[in-house]
Amino acid sequence: GEDVKPFTPEKTKEIVMSLQQPVVFCNMVGDWPALHWNVKYLSAVLEGKAIQFRLGLKTVDLVPQFETSCSYVEATLEEFLAWSCGQPSCLSGPFSCYDYSKYWAYADYKYIARIFEDKPEIFQDVRWSDFGFPGRSGKESTLWIGSEGANTPCHVDSYGCNLVLQVQGRKRWHLFPPGDTSFLYPTRIPYEESSIFSKVNIANPDLKRFPKFRNSTAHVVTLSPGQVLLVPRHWWHYVESIDPVTVSINSWIELDADHEARVEEAITRMLVCAIKSAESPSDGDLWLNPTEVEATSHEINLQYLNKAVSAYLKCQETSVSGQALPSSTGARQRTNSSCKRKRREVGCEPESCTLLTQECDFPTPKAEELQKTPFGPHLIQVLPESHKTSVMAAVAVESGGGDLHENEGEHFGKLHCKRRRLLMSNDCETAAHQMDSDCSPCSSQTALSTNDFLDCLVNPRVISLVAQLLLERMRV
């Protein structure tokens, strides 16, 4: 009969909105049609429609492989599958210039509402209502398709928390708590709204340049098909595909604290765009991430800041009065400001990134409630590596997720040994080091650069203080 979930939607939402540590939900999505979304199935649904893939080198450098140093191709999922299997037909296709043994490919951050806009019925295959978010489906979700080695540089999302469903293959997640921010050397270059990148290549850290990284605490987990990972607010993460083909689906859940975060992001945008736009452009200074269509003008950025401040103050007034948020204009402002990577898809409409307004009113849990969190075979903690015990290994085996914590203590220190060490051709080497001199591990430059200045000026701690001062000024 009916599939019985280990937690009710109400209980699951309570866990999602209250936990300040990453966990893996097991046995929650067994009846979701989206579990059948392997690449072969999605290829048939898309009927030859091409999507953009990001390509990077499998070689591991001391410098993170940011999106500004990657190549991009338009290809069908059928062509991607053929390439990932090493079929000869790829010799003349869009992947013909990229040897599978040397490169990985990633169709990342693909809004399901956009790529399946002509097949809206497929949205219902994703059922976040089981996690306590009624009405949230594939329309408010994002699709990720990658080959072995495909990765997202270590970063932290400015907005919300994150629910990630693994559909095909496995991905390894390296997560770091918010308290580790200074150990991860945050930077806003390349600039992208809502993402703060780490200068450290988690797969091969340069401890001479970034000695404080030794003090960081990695929480590592291998996510298998059918499992859902909760990435709490402001947790850093580096993610890598470890199987030949992987498919994931995620949804960012808005939180009340995002109102202040949007003010901070507006301040950051204004400063970065003003300073970098005033700088004489150089060929190697790719400061704007490909996710951002253009550097917006000072006037537009000032409007954005004022809207973010107004939205924050309105939410504060609502909280004080105990009334619900407006369901029209106010809700639209929140959606427009919080849509993750909203500029990646040109013309992305707010309707494709709708967020639930009632989440703003979710109560803050008490410490006693956190102690009652039902950890066990259906809800597995992602523990710090040094704290992993044989007990957790037993729980992982009991839950059917044998790979969940298997030898995770080795994965972090030896991750770079898992990949093939390949010699790069001259053209690839140039592309891989297109970042400015500040990111080069062998730079001999001693003079401070604009990016050095920005790393200090838009450091998360500085921006948080500026935001508080601005909001205090508005309250006077």
Side-chain angles (χ1 to χ4, degrees), residues 201-222:
N201 185 352
I202 304 303
N204 188 24
D206 185 348
L207 296 178
K208 290 184 179 180
R209 290 193 68 222
F210 309 116
K212 290 191 294 183
F213 181 68
R214 298 178 188 273
N215 301 324
S216 66
T217 304
H219 295 60
V220 184
V221 63
T222 299

PDB file of all heavy atoms in Angstrom, residues 201-222:
ATOM      1  N   ASN A 201      41.536  25.782  -2.461  1.00  0.00           N
ATOM      2  CA  ASN A 201      41.104  24.620  -3.223  1.00  0.00           C
ATOM      3  C   ASN A 201      40.988  23.461  -2.236  1.00  0.00           C
ATOM      4  O   ASN A 201      41.989  22.897  -1.795  1.00  0.00           O
ATOM      5  CB  ASN A 201      42.097  24.278  -4.326  1.00  0.00           C
ATOM      6  CG  ASN A 201      41.607  23.132  -5.210  1.00  0.00           C
ATOM      7  OD1 ASN A 201      40.596  22.506  -4.910  1.00  0.00           O
ATOM      8  ND2 ASN A 201      42.328  22.860  -6.276  1.00  0.00           N
ATOM      9  N   ILE A 202      39.762  23.114  -1.870  1.00  0.00           N
ATOM     10  CA  ILE A 202      39.534  22.102  -0.841  1.00  0.00           C
ATOM     11  C   ILE A 202      40.141  20.761  -1.227  1.00  0.00           C
ATOM     12  O   ILE A 202      40.589  19.984  -0.381  1.00  0.00           O
ATOM     13  CB  ILE A 202      38.022  21.942  -0.585  1.00  0.00           C
ATOM     14  CG1 ILE A 202      37.397  23.292  -0.215  1.00  0.00           C
ATOM     15  CG2 ILE A 202      37.763  20.913   0.507  1.00  0.00           C
ATOM     16  CD1 ILE A 202      38.018  23.965   0.983  1.00  0.00           C
ATOM     17  N   ALA A 203      40.194  20.476  -2.531  1.00  0.00           N
ATOM     18  CA  ALA A 203      40.739  19.206  -3.003  1.00  0.00           C
ATOM     19  C   ALA A 203      42.262  19.140  -2.893  1.00  0.00           C
ATOM     20  O   ALA A 203      42.834  18.057  -2.883  1.00  0.00           O
ATOM     21  CB  ALA A 203      40.318  18.954  -4.452  1.00  0.00           C
ATOM     22  N   ASN A 204      42.893  20.306  -2.825  1.00  0.00           N
ATOM     23  CA  ASN A 204      44.354  20.357  -2.764  1.00  0.00           C
ATOM     24  C   ASN A 204      44.778  21.691  -2.146  1.00  0.00           C
ATOM     25  O   ASN A 204      45.271  22.580  -2.828  1.00  0.00           O
ATOM     26  CB  ASN A 204      44.936  20.200  -4.177  1.00  0.00           C
ATOM     27  CG  ASN A 204      46.450  20.046  -4.169  1.00  0.00           C
ATOM     28  OD1 ASN A 204      47.034  19.624  -3.182  1.00  0.00           O
ATOM     29  ND2 ASN A 204      47.073  20.389  -5.282  1.00  0.00           N
ATOM     30  N   PRO A 205      44.573  21.845  -0.843  1.00  0.00           N
ATOM     31  CA  PRO A 205      44.803  23.150  -0.204  1.00  0.00           C
ATOM     32  C   PRO A 205      46.266  23.580  -0.190  1.00  0.00           C
ATOM     33  O   PRO A 205      47.166  22.763   0.036  1.00  0.00           O
ATOM     34  CB  PRO A 205      44.278  22.925   1.226  1.00  0.00           C
ATOM     35  CG  PRO A 205      44.368  21.450   1.448  1.00  0.00           C
ATOM     36  CD  PRO A 205      44.110  20.825   0.117  1.00  0.00           C
ATOM     37  N   ASP A 206      46.479  24.853  -0.456  1.00  0.00           N
ATOM     38  CA  ASP A 206      47.810  25.444  -0.401  1.00  0.00           C
ATOM     39  C   ASP A 206      48.004  25.986   1.018  1.00  0.00           C
ATOM     40  O   ASP A 206      47.651  27.135   1.313  1.00  0.00           O
ATOM     41  CB  ASP A 206      47.919  26.570  -1.433  1.00  0.00           C
ATOM     42  CG  ASP A 206      49.323  27.154  -1.520  1.00  0.00           C
ATOM     43  OD1 ASP A 206      50.141  26.852  -0.623  1.00  0.00           O
ATOM     44  OD2 ASP A 206      49.596  27.909  -2.464  1.00  0.00           O
ATOM     45  N   LEU A 207      48.568  25.179   1.881  1.00  0.00           N
ATOM     46  CA  LEU A 207      48.677  25.547   3.288  1.00  0.00           C
ATOM     47  C   LEU A 207      49.754  26.598   3.542  1.00  0.00           C
ATOM     48  O   LEU A 207      49.795  27.202   4.618  1.00  0.00           O
ATOM     49  CB  LEU A 207      48.949  24.299   4.130  1.00  0.00           C
ATOM     50  CG  LEU A 207      47.819  23.258   4.104  1.00  0.00           C
ATOM     51  CD1 LEU A 207      48.203  22.029   4.925  1.00  0.00           C
ATOM     52  CD2 LEU A 207      46.522  23.854   4.615  1.00  0.00           C
ATOM     53  N   LYS A 208      50.624  26.833   2.575  1.00  0.00           N
ATOM     54  CA  LYS A 208      51.611  27.899   2.731  1.00  0.00           C
ATOM     55  C   LYS A 208      50.930  29.258   2.594  1.00  0.00           C
ATOM     56  O   LYS A 208      51.239  30.193   3.338  1.00  0.00           O
ATOM     57  CB  LYS A 208      52.724  27.749   1.684  1.00  0.00           C
ATOM     58  CG  LYS A 208      53.635  26.551   1.933  1.00  0.00           C
ATOM     59  CD  LYS A 208      54.773  26.519   0.930  1.00  0.00           C
ATOM     60  CE  LYS A 208      55.711  25.329   1.204  1.00  0.00           C
ATOM     61  NZ  LYS A 208      56.828  25.276   0.227  1.00  0.00           N
ATOM     62  N   ARG A 209      50.041  29.378   1.634  1.00  0.00           N
ATOM     63  CA  ARG A 209      49.325  30.647   1.428  1.00  0.00           C
ATOM     64  C   ARG A 209      48.146  30.785   2.374  1.00  0.00           C
ATOM     65  O   ARG A 209      47.770  31.894   2.751  1.00  0.00           O
ATOM     66  CB  ARG A 209      48.817  30.743  -0.018  1.00  0.00           C
ATOM     67  CG  ARG A 209      49.912  30.929  -1.053  1.00  0.00           C
ATOM     68  CD  ARG A 209      49.305  31.321  -2.382  1.00  0.00           C
ATOM     69  NE  ARG A 209      48.712  32.645  -2.342  1.00  0.00           N
ATOM     70  CZ  ARG A 209      47.542  32.966  -2.889  1.00  0.00           C
ATOM     71  NH1 ARG A 209      46.823  32.051  -3.492  1.00  0.00           N
ATOM     72  NH2 ARG A 209      47.088  34.196  -2.823  1.00  0.00           N
ATOM     73  N   PHE A 210      47.542  29.659   2.745  1.00  0.00           N
ATOM     74  CA  PHE A 210      46.344  29.698   3.577  1.00  0.00           C
ATOM     75  C   PHE A 210      46.513  28.819   4.821  1.00  0.00           C
ATOM     76  O   PHE A 210      45.832  27.806   4.985  1.00  0.00           O
ATOM     77  CB  PHE A 210      45.135  29.223   2.757  1.00  0.00           C
ATOM     78  CG  PHE A 210      44.988  29.935   1.436  1.00  0.00           C
ATOM     79  CD1 PHE A 210      45.109  29.242   0.228  1.00  0.00           C
ATOM     80  CD2 PHE A 210      44.750  31.304   1.382  1.00  0.00           C
ATOM     81  CE1 PHE A 210      44.982  29.893  -0.991  1.00  0.00           C
ATOM     82  CE2 PHE A 210      44.618  31.960   0.170  1.00  0.00           C
ATOM     83  CZ  PHE A 210      44.734  31.259  -1.020  1.00  0.00           C
ATOM     84  N   PRO A 211      47.439  29.195   5.694  1.00  0.00           N
ATOM     85  CA  PRO A 211      47.741  28.344   6.856  1.00  0.00           C
ATOM     86  C   PRO A 211      46.577  28.157   7.818  1.00  0.00           C
ATOM     87  O   PRO A 211      46.479  27.123   8.477  1.00  0.00           O
ATOM     88  CB  PRO A 211      48.910  29.078   7.521  1.00  0.00           C
ATOM     89  CG  PRO A 211      48.778  30.502   7.066  1.00  0.00           C
ATOM     90  CD  PRO A 211      48.255  30.423   5.668  1.00  0.00           C
ATOM     91  N   LYS A 212      45.666  29.140   7.886  1.00  0.00           N
ATOM     92  CA  LYS A 212      44.553  29.022   8.834  1.00  0.00           C
ATOM     93  C   LYS A 212      43.571  27.919   8.439  1.00  0.00           C
ATOM     94  O   LYS A 212      42.729  27.511   9.250  1.00  0.00           O
ATOM     95  CB  LYS A 212      43.815  30.362   8.960  1.00  0.00           C
ATOM     96  CG  LYS A 212      44.608  31.433   9.681  1.00  0.00           C
ATOM     97  CD  LYS A 212      43.741  32.642  10.011  1.00  0.00           C
ATOM     98  CE  LYS A 212      43.272  33.368   8.769  1.00  0.00           C
ATOM     99  NZ  LYS A 212      42.489  34.594   9.100  1.00  0.00           N
ATOM    100  N   PHE A 213      43.682  27.449   7.194  1.00  0.00           N
ATOM    101  CA  PHE A 213      42.778  26.377   6.755  1.00  0.00           C
ATOM    102  C   PHE A 213      42.970  25.121   7.610  1.00  0.00           C
ATOM    103  O   PHE A 213      42.054  24.304   7.736  1.00  0.00           O
ATOM    104  CB  PHE A 213      43.010  26.055   5.283  1.00  0.00           C
ATOM    105  CG  PHE A 213      42.114  24.977   4.745  1.00  0.00           C
ATOM    106  CD1 PHE A 213      40.752  25.179   4.610  1.00  0.00           C
ATOM    107  CD2 PHE A 213      42.628  23.730   4.392  1.00  0.00           C
ATOM    108  CE1 PHE A 213      39.911  24.186   4.129  1.00  0.00           C
ATOM    109  CE2 PHE A 213      41.807  22.726   3.914  1.00  0.00           C
ATOM    110  CZ  PHE A 213      40.444  22.956   3.781  1.00  0.00           C
ATOM    111  N   ARG A 214      44.151  24.978   8.212  1.00  0.00           N
ATOM    112  CA  ARG A 214      44.402  23.834   9.100  1.00  0.00           C
ATOM    113  C   ARG A 214      43.416  23.810  10.260  1.00  0.00           C
ATOM    114  O   ARG A 214      43.145  22.746  10.828  1.00  0.00           O
ATOM    115  CB  ARG A 214      45.819  23.905   9.662  1.00  0.00           C
ATOM    116  CG  ARG A 214      46.944  23.827   8.644  1.00  0.00           C
ATOM    117  CD  ARG A 214      48.282  23.956   9.342  1.00  0.00           C
ATOM    118  NE  ARG A 214      49.403  24.088   8.396  1.00  0.00           N
ATOM    119  CZ  ARG A 214      50.042  23.061   7.870  1.00  0.00           C
ATOM    120  NH1 ARG A 214      49.694  21.837   8.209  1.00  0.00           N
ATOM    121  NH2 ARG A 214      51.048  23.248   7.028  1.00  0.00           N
ATOM    122  N   ASN A 215      42.890  24.965  10.622  1.00  0.00           N
ATOM    123  CA  ASN A 215      41.992  25.052  11.768  1.00  0.00           C
ATOM    124  C   ASN A 215      40.540  24.739  11.415  1.00  0.00           C
ATOM    125  O   ASN A 215      39.684  24.699  12.301  1.00  0.00           O
ATOM    126  CB  ASN A 215      42.050  26.459  12.384  1.00  0.00           C
ATOM    127  CG  ASN A 215      43.444  26.830  12.843  1.00  0.00           C
ATOM    128  OD1 ASN A 215      44.182  25.977  13.335  1.00  0.00           O
ATOM    129  ND2 ASN A 215      43.826  28.093  12.681  1.00  0.00           N
ATOM    130  N   SER A 216      40.266  24.535  10.134  1.00  0.00           N
ATOM    131  CA  SER A 216      38.883  24.264   9.709  1.00  0.00           C
ATOM    132  C   SER A 216      38.470  22.842  10.071  1.00  0.00           C
ATOM    133  O   SER A 216      39.311  21.962  10.260  1.00  0.00           O
ATOM    134  CB  SER A 216      38.734  24.486   8.204  1.00  0.00           C
ATOM    135  OG  SER A 216      39.500  23.546   7.480  1.00  0.00           O
ATOM    136  N   THR A 217      37.174  22.644  10.174  1.00  0.00           N
ATOM    137  CA  THR A 217      36.624  21.330  10.519  1.00  0.00           C
ATOM    138  C   THR A 217      35.687  20.870   9.414  1.00  0.00           C
ATOM    139  O   THR A 217      34.602  21.429   9.250  1.00  0.00           O
ATOM    140  CB  THR A 217      35.845  21.389  11.852  1.00  0.00           C
ATOM    141  OG1 THR A 217      36.710  21.896  12.877  1.00  0.00           O
ATOM    142  CG2 THR A 217      35.358  20.006  12.248  1.00  0.00           C
ATOM    143  N   ALA A 218      36.123  19.881   8.655  1.00  0.00           N
ATOM    144  CA  ALA A 218      35.313  19.382   7.544  1.00  0.00           C
ATOM    145  C   ALA A 218      34.312  18.335   8.024  1.00  0.00           C
ATOM    146  O   ALA A 218      34.649  17.457   8.805  1.00  0.00           O
ATOM    147  CB  ALA A 218      36.214  18.780   6.477  1.00  0.00           C
ATOM    148  N   HIS A 219      33.082  18.475   7.548  1.00  0.00           N
ATOM    149  CA  HIS A 219      32.061  17.451   7.731  1.00  0.00           C
ATOM    150  C   HIS A 219      31.868  16.833   6.351  1.00  0.00           C
ATOM    151  O   HIS A 219      31.382  17.512   5.436  1.00  0.00           O
ATOM    152  CB  HIS A 219      30.743  18.060   8.214  1.00  0.00           C
ATOM    153  CG  HIS A 219      30.815  18.680   9.575  1.00  0.00           C
ATOM    154  ND1 HIS A 219      31.660  19.722   9.877  1.00  0.00           N
ATOM    155  CD2 HIS A 219      30.123  18.408  10.713  1.00  0.00           C
ATOM    156  CE1 HIS A 219      31.478  20.066  11.142  1.00  0.00           C
ATOM    157  NE2 HIS A 219      30.568  19.291  11.676  1.00  0.00           N
ATOM    158  N   VAL A 220      32.277  15.596   6.163  1.00  0.00           N
ATOM    159  CA  VAL A 220      32.280  14.980   4.835  1.00  0.00           C
ATOM    160  C   VAL A 220      31.250  13.868   4.764  1.00  0.00           C
ATOM    161  O   VAL A 220      31.155  13.034   5.663  1.00  0.00           O
ATOM    162  CB  VAL A 220      33.681  14.423   4.493  1.00  0.00           C
ATOM    163  CG1 VAL A 220      33.706  13.876   3.072  1.00  0.00           C
ATOM    164  CG2 VAL A 220      34.736  15.501   4.671  1.00  0.00           C
ATOM    165  N   VAL A 221      30.490  13.864   3.671  1.00  0.00           N
ATOM    166  CA  VAL A 221      29.486  12.825   3.493  1.00  0.00           C
ATOM    167  C   VAL A 221      29.369  12.481   2.013  1.00  0.00           C
ATOM    168  O   VAL A 221      29.477  13.360   1.144  1.00  0.00           O
ATOM    169  CB  VAL A 221      28.112  13.271   4.050  1.00  0.00           C
ATOM    170  CG1 VAL A 221      27.581  14.476   3.305  1.00  0.00           C
ATOM    171  CG2 VAL A 221      27.100  12.130   4.017  1.00  0.00           C
ATOM    172  N   THR A 222      29.193  11.199   1.727  1.00  0.00           N
ATOM    173  CA  THR A 222      28.924  10.753   0.362  1.00  0.00           C
ATOM    174  C   THR A 222      27.433  10.523   0.231  1.00  0.00           C
ATOM    175  O   THR A 222      26.868   9.668   0.914  1.00  0.00           O
ATOM    176  CB  THR A 222      29.688   9.447   0.044  1.00  0.00           C
ATOM    177  OG1 THR A 222      31.092   9.689   0.175  1.00  0.00           O
ATOM    178  CG2 THR A 222      29.390   8.983  -1.366  1.00  0.00           C
TER     179      THR A 222
END
